[in-house]
Amino acid sequence: MNDPRLQSPAVARNRQPILEVLQQVLPERARILEVASGSGEHALYLAGAMPGWRWQPSDPNPRALASILAWREAAGRVNLLEPQQLDVTGDWPAGPFEAVVAINLLHISPWTVAEALLAGAGDALLPGGVLYLYGPFRREGRHTASSNAAFDADLRARDPRWGIRDLEAVTAAAGRHGLKLDRVVTMPANNLSLVFRQPQAGQATLMPAR
């Protein structure tokens, strides 16, 4: 019988650095929605590391959903919930959430997906909640490494709607949905962690400086 569990070599390299950033910005008890969970390995690791996190994985792809479910059943972690089918451009699960997490999504999807993610997170997060984005980004219109430039060219050749996004463009779009950039963390393999926050009740939302 075929094992539906998918595996991504990159997960083993980046899961611990991602965990460390999330531990810095989230409380020990939190409801977290992960979009585009893929194989489910990040969900498995992060939920296992923090038992107080109630982790809701999701993905639009049936194969990914089968993989997430198989990892979940093998591990038996009660705080890792059954995956939900979610296309961020459609209806979202009922919130609110302390965090929305998207790992390696923005560069392998059209910009309309980024806009839908930012809008959905703006609606789904509690006051003070976090939108966490991980992946490669350009800064001030430039790639942070030559390998990222080559990767970007390959992505755009595969689909012209794909490509590494500008940090400033993502920040501006997030601001239109009430999300303020809280911090940028340099990660391994020329990636970044972007942490956006939903302002607390009564806190003014300022557009990012240009």
Side-chain angles (χ1 to χ4, degrees):
M1 184 175 179
N2 291 332
D3 187 344
R5 291 178 292 178
L6 303 174
Q7 292 183 290
S8 171
V11 174
R13 296 193 295 269
N14 63 32
R15 62 188 185 181
Q16 182 62 29
I18 289 173
L19 171 64
E20 290 170 3
V21 175
L22 290 175
Q23 286 174 325
Q24 292 172 18
V25 299
L26 294 180
E28 290 187 4
R29 303 191 66 82
R31 292 160 291 176
I32 301 169
L33 170 64
E34 182 188 12
V35 303
S37 299
S39 67
E41 294 169 279
H42 281 116
L44 181 74
Y45 183 80
L46 298 169
M50 295 295 292
W53 288 352
R54 185 174 173 84
W55 197 278
Q56 176 61 71
S58 70
D59 203 278
N61 189 311
R63 188 179 179 206
L65 294 172
S67 176
I68 299 165
L69 185 61
W71 282 114
R72 175 181 182 264
E73 291 177 345
R77 292 189 178 130
V78 296
N79 65 320
L80 178 58
L81 306 184
E82 186 170 335
Q84 294 189 16
Q85 188 164 29
L86 171 62
D87 179 336
V88 296
T89 63
D91 294 331
W92 283 47
F97 299 96
E98 276 80 16
V100 174
V101 170
I103 298 169
N104 286 327
L105 171 62
L106 296 194
H107 57 284
I108 55 169
S109 57
W111 179 247
T112 52
V113 169
E115 292 178 323
L117 170 63
L118 296 168
D123 291 337
L125 288 171
L126 286 164
V130 164
L131 170 63
Y132 172 84
L133 305 178
Y134 171 90
F137 293 90
R138 299 197 307 178
R139 304 190 78 166
E140 299 180 346
R142 297 183 180 88
H143 289 290
T144 59
S146 58
S147 58
N148 279 11
F151 181 42
D152 187 36
D154 177 67
L155 288 170
R156 294 177 189 276
R158 288 156 58 188
D159 189 325
R161 301 174 301 166
W162 294 5
I164 295 177
R165 307 301 176 191
D166 286 306
L167 169 61
E168 293 77 16
V170 175
T171 301
R176 292 193 289 272
H177 298 288
L179 299 168
K180 184 177 180 181
L181 184 63
D182 180 75
R183 68 186 70 183
V184 178
V185 183
T186 301
M187 304 292 279
N190 303 307
N191 290 305
L192 298 175
S193 286
L194 309 186
V195 177
F196 295 90
R197 281 197 185 271
Q198 181 75 277
Q200 297 282 356
Q203 180 181 349
T205 302
L206 300 178
M207 290 298 292
R210 294 184 180 275

